[in-house]
C-alpha cells in the first residue's frame, strides 16, 4: 500500500449498528454454523489415506474429492453473494446447513467412489453458503471499525473447526470406523440448524436495509459489474488467491500424505503437525486482526510478508538435501503455514471499504473465490504431478510457487489504484457524515 494510505481504522459511518452483547450472541450462532461447515470441509484431510483404501483410488482420483468440493465452493461464491444480498443471512445459512449436513451423511454411507464424489459436491455447495453469510452478519450487527477484527475472529472459528477435524474426527475415524465417524459428526449440522432457525436474526431493530427491487438478470449483472469495477474488490480477490491456498492444500488433502509418505513420519506425528498449523493460524489470526483494525496501512505488508515467508519455507523444505527434512524444520514450516489463513482474510479488508452495504455479499463472494480457485488448481496439479513422477513430492509441491508468482504480480498491479479509490471513498464518507443532520 502506498505511504499515503490511511494508517488508522475506518471512521464510524452514519447508521452504523451499535454492536454489543446481543450482536455477539447472534453473530456467534452464524459462526457456529461456519464452524461445523469447516469440520465437514476438512474432514477429508485426516481421512485421505483411508479414502484411498476404501474406494481403491490413486493420488489423482483422491485429489478429485477435494477438487470437486472446491470447484463447487468457488463456483457458488458469486451466486451466494447475490443470494445473501437478496434474501438475507438467515435463509442462506439455513439452506447451507441442510446441504452440508446431507453431504456429510451421504459421504458416511457412500458405497462407491461416484456416490462419495456426489456427496462431497453437495457438501461443498452447502459450505459455500456459510462464510459469506457470516461476513454479512458481521457487517449488519457491528460498527464498520470492528470489521477487520470481526472477520478475523470468524476465520479463527473456522480454524477451530479444522482443529476438531485433526484432533477429534481423526480419532473417531480410527476408533469407531468410517461410517460411524462421519455419520456421528453430521449430528452437529442438525444442532446448528435448529439454533439458527430459532435464534438468528439478519440485523438489529432499526437497522433494516433498504428493500431491493426485484430486477432479475439486470440486477445480477449490475451487482457483479459494479463490484468488479472496484479495484479494491479485485485486489481483495488476488490477496485471497495468493495467501490462502498453501495452507489449505496442506490441510485439506496433501499434508498428511507428504508427512507420512515423503517424510517417513507416523500418522500420529503427522497429525500433530497438522494441528500445529491450525493452532498457529488461530494465534496469528488474533494478531493480524488487531493490527489491521488499528493500522490499515499494514494490510498489504502483512499479506506480502506472509507470501514471502511461505514461499521461502517451502523452498528450504523442498530443497533440503536427501529429501528427509528434520523435525524442527517441519515445525517451522507448519508455523509459517498457519499465517496463510489470517493473511487471506485481509483480502476482505480491501473489498469491504470498496463497496456499499447493499453490495457487500457480492463483493465478498468475488473475493472469496480467489483462494479456493488457487487451492483447487494446486490440489489438481499436485495430484497429477505425483502420479506422473512416481510420488515425487519435491516436484509436485513446486506448483505452489507458480500460483504465488501469478498472485503477487496481480497484487502489485492493482495496489495503487485500489489505494487511490479507497481514499476517495473515505473522503466522501466523511463529507457525508459532516452533513448528516443532528
Amino acid at each position: 500500500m502506498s505511504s499515503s494510505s490511511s494508517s488508522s481504522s475506518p471512521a464510524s459511518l452514519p447508521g452504523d449498528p451499535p454492536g454489543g452483547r446481543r450482536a455477539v450472541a447472534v453473530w456467534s450462532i452464524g459462526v457456529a454454523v461456519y464452524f461445523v461447515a469447516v469440520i465437514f470441509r476438512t474432514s477429508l484431510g485426516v481421512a485421505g489415506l483411508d479414502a484411498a483404501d476404501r474406494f481403491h483410488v490413486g493420488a489423482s482420483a483422491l485429489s478429485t474429492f477435494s477438487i470437486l468440493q472446491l470447484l463447487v465452493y468457488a463456483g457458488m461464491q458469486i451466486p451466494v453473494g447475490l443470494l445473501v444480498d437478496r434474501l438475507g443471512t438467515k435463509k442462506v445459512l439455513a439452506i447451507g446447513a441442510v446441504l452440508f449436513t446431507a453431504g456429510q451423511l451421504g459421504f458416511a454411507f457412500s458405497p462407491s467412489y461416484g456416490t462419495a464424489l456426489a456427496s462431497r459436491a453437495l457438501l461443498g455447495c452447502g459450505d459455500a453458503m456459510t462464510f459469506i453469510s457470516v461476513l454479512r452478519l458481521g457487517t449488519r450487527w457491528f460498527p464498520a471499525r470492528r470489521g477487520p477484527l470481526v472477520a478475523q475472529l470468524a476465520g479463527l472459528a473456522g480454524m477451530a473447526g479444522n482443529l476438531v477435524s485433526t484432533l477429534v474426527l481423526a480419532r473417531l475415524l480410527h476408533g469407531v470406523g468410517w461410517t460411524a465417524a462421519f455419520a456421528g459428526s453430521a449430528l452437529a449440522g442438525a444442532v446448528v440448524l435448529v439454533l439458527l432457525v430459532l435464534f438468528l436474526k439478519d440485523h438489529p431493530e432499526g437497522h433494516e436495509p433498504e428493500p431491493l427491487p426485484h430486477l432479475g438478470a439486470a440486477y445480477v449483472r449490475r451487482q457483479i459489474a459494479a463490484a468488479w469495477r472496484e479495484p479494491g474488490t479485485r485486489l481483495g480477490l488476488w490477496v485471497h488467491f495468493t495467501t490462502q491456498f498453501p495452507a489449505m492444500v496442506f490441510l485439506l488433502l496433501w499434508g498428511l500424505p507428504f508427512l507420512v509418505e515423503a517424510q517417513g513420519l507416523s500418522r500420529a506425528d503427522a497429525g500433530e503437525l497438522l494441528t500445529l498449523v491450525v493452532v498457529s493460524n488461530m494465534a496469528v489470526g488474533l494478531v493480524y486482526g488487531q493490527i489491521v483494525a488499528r493500522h490499515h496501512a499494514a494490510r498489504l505488508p502483512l499479506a506480502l510478508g506472509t507470501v514471502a515467508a511461505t514461499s521461502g519455507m517451502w523452498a528450504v523444505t523442498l530443497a533440503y538435501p536427501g529429501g528427509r527434512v528434520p523435525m524442527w524444520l517441519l515445525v517451522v514450516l507448519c508455523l509459517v503455514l498457519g499465517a496463510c489463513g489470517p493473511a487471506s482474510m485481509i483480502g476482505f479488508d480491501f473489498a469491504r471499504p470498496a463497496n456499499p452495504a447493499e453490495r457487500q455479499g457480492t463483493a465478498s463472494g468475488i473475493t472469496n473465490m480467489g483462494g479456493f480457485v488457487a487451492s483447487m488448481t494446486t490440489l489438481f496439479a499436485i495430484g497429477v504431478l505425483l502420479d506422473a513422477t512416481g510420488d515425487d513430492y519435491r516436484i509436485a509441491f513446486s506448483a505452489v510457487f507458480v500460483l504465488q508468482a501469478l498472485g503477487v504480480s496481480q497484487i502489485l498491479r492493482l495496489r495503487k489504484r485500489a489505494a487511490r479509490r479507497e481514499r476517495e471513498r473515505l473522503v466522501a464518507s466523511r463529507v457525508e457524515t459532516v452533513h448528516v443532520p443532528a
Side-chain angles (χ1 to χ4, degrees):
M1 182 69 71
S2 62
S3 61
S4 58
S5 298
S6 172
S7 63
S8 60
S9 59
S12 296
L13 301 177
D16 253 359
R21 292 181 180 177
R22 184 147 187 259
V24 172
V26 173
W27 176 79
S28 296
I29 295 171
V31 169
V33 179
Y34 174 56
F35 170 79
V36 173
V38 174
I39 294 175
F40 293 177
R41 178 202 304 169
T42 57
S43 58
L44 188 61
V46 296
L49 297 177
D50 301 89
D53 292 338
R54 180 179 177 88
F55 300 113
H56 310 292
V57 295
S60 295
L62 182 61
S63 67
T64 304
F65 277 123
S66 296
I67 291 167
L68 178 62
Q69 184 179 332
L70 293 183
L71 178 64
V72 172
Y73 188 105
M76 286 289 294
Q77 288 310 292
I78 292 178
V80 167
L82 291 164
L83 281 174
V84 170
D85 286 339
R86 287 276 332 158
L87 302 179
T89 301
K90 183 170 185 174
K91 291 179 182 178
V92 177
L93 270 181
I95 296 169
V98 170
L99 292 177
F100 67 61
T101 302
Q104 187 79 339
L105 270 176
F107 197 57
F109 294 102
S110 292
S112 67
Y113 178 68
T115 54
L117 275 179
S119 297
R120 295 307 284 188
L122 188 63
L123 193 158
C125 186
D127 181 20
M129 297 183 173
T130 58
F131 189 63
I132 299 301
S133 299
V134 171
L135 287 180
R136 167 67 175 262
L137 198 65
T139 62
R140 289 298 185 191
W141 280 90
F142 293 96
R145 67 182 183 277
R146 301 293 185 194
L149 182 58
V150 169
Q152 286 286 356
L153 290 174
L156 192 67
M159 292 313 297
N162 203 327
L163 192 62
V164 170
S165 286
T166 57
L167 292 178
V168 179
L169 191 58
R171 293 181 181 178
L172 280 175
L173 186 64
H174 299 109
V176 301
W178 180 282
T179 300
F182 281 100
S185 66
L187 293 175
V191 171
V192 294
L193 177 61
V194 171
L195 287 175
L196 81 89
V197 168
L198 292 179
F199 302 113
L200 191 137
K201 291 194 64 167
D202 284 342
H203 46 73
E205 288 81 1
H207 292 270
E208 295 82 358
E210 290 291 328
L212 293 172
H214 182 68
L215 299 174
Y219 162 78
V220 172
R221 287 194 298 269
R222 187 170 64 251
Q223 284 284 93
I224 296 173
W228 184 255
R229 276 196 300 269
E230 292 292 343
T233 304
R234 301 198 301 277
L235 179 59
L237 179 147
W238 284 108
V239 167
H240 200 268
F241 177 101
T242 314
T243 53
Q244 187 200 48
F245 79 92
M248 175 160 283
V249 166
F250 197 78
L251 290 170
L252 200 59
L253 184 60
W254 291 123
L256 189 68
F258 168 74
L259 295 171
V260 173
E261 296 178 354
Q263 300 304 315
L265 301 183
S266 68
R267 286 198 181 200
D269 289 341
E272 289 178 0
L273 286 174
L274 293 179
T275 302
L276 182 61
V277 177
V278 178
V279 173
S280 173
N281 186 301
M282 297 171 73
V284 174
L286 288 174
V287 175
Y288 278 20
Q290 293 286 351
I291 292 174
V292 174
R294 289 173 168 79
H295 307 285
H296 265 204
R299 290 173 297 176
L300 208 55
L302 284 176
L304 292 176
T306 301
V307 174
T310 305
S311 61
M313 283 310 305
W314 266 122
V316 172
T317 300
L318 298 178
Y320 197 85
R324 290 292 175 92
V325 179
M327 179 60 78
W328 69 265
L329 186 54
L330 291 175
V331 168
V332 176
L333 172 66
C334 291
L335 288 172
V336 171
L337 286 175
C340 291
S344 73
M345 299 300 297
I346 295 172
F348 298 101
D349 293 317
F350 287 107
R352 188 184 302 110
N355 293 273
E358 64 271 13
R359 214 165 56 222
Q360 287 294 320
T362 305
S364 296
I366 292 172
T367 300
N368 207 31
M369 283 180 62
F372 291 94
V373 169
S375 298
M376 178 178 60
T377 304
T378 309
L379 283 167
F380 177 73
I382 290 174
V384 170
L385 289 170
L386 285 173
D387 282 345
T389 60
D391 292 339
D392 189 328
Y393 280 89
R394 284 184 172 184
I395 295 176
F397 271 96
S398 295
V400 170
F401 304 123
V402 178
L403 274 292
Q404 285 184 322
L406 172 62
V408 168
S409 69
Q410 295 301 311
I411 291 171
L412 296 178
R413 182 177 69 86
L414 288 164
R415 72 190 192 282
K416 290 184 179 179
R417 274 183 281 173
R420 183 169 58 250
R421 178 68 173 142
E422 187 171 306
R423 287 194 301 272
E424 292 169 358
R425 291 185 67 91
L426 182 60
V427 170
S429 68
R430 285 173 175 169
V431 170
E432 180 184 345
T433 304
V434 169
H435 289 88
V436 170

